[in-house]
Amino acid sequence: MLTDVLTGWTSETLGGLTLLTAAAVWGWLRRHRAARPDSATARVPAAAMPVRTYTLIGTRAPDGHPGQLVSTRPAGTIVNQRGPAGRERFELTDAVLSDGTYVAEPLNRHR
């Protein structure tokens, strides 16, 4: 009778410990993967950012062409540019114009 109790207890204990260990490993892997940044969301160093040409919407250069800005800053960045009306703020976007340049939208004009 004691042998039956110990044999049953041992198998149940080993099964429970196996399940507990598996759950702990699964939880650790889940946290570890969540803490590690994905390659799509990882921040790119400034040295590796692509150089983009932005067209400053609503501005003109002295030669009559649309005003342009060359930058490595990511979309969503707000930059200050001096224009004919003084300093203006522009937000860089991911929108591409037909000439291949990106859009920089004026912020001061839209109130």
Side-chain angles (χ1 to χ4, degrees):
M1 179 157 127
L2 184 59
T3 307
D4 292 335
V5 171
L6 290 177
T7 306
W9 177 82
T10 305
S11 63
E12 288 179 10
T13 302
L14 288 177
L17 287 175
T18 302
L19 289 176
L20 184 63
T21 303
V25 168
W26 178 76
W28 179 83
L29 284 173
R30 191 168 174 221
R31 279 193 314 267
H32 179 63
R33 286 186 183 167
R36 186 179 59 197
D38 188 37
S39 62
T41 60
R43 188 157 174 92
V44 178
M49 292 292 291
V51 175
R52 290 182 171 182
T53 301
Y54 292 92
T55 297
L56 306 172
I57 301 297
T59 62
R60 293 278 177 198
D63 61 359
H65 290 90
Q68 293 190 335
L69 167 72
V70 178
S71 178
T72 59
R73 295 181 180 138
T77 303
I78 297 175
V79 295
N80 291 318
Q81 267 311 99
R82 185 170 298 278
R87 278 227 180 266
E88 292 187 74
R89 294 173 49 212
F90 290 89
E91 181 178 3
L92 307 181
T93 67
D94 279 332
V96 181
L97 295 173
S98 61
D99 63 355
T101 62
Y102 291 86
V103 175
E105 295 181 358
L107 294 177
N108 296 352
R109 297 182 201 159
H110 305 291
R111 288 185 186 222

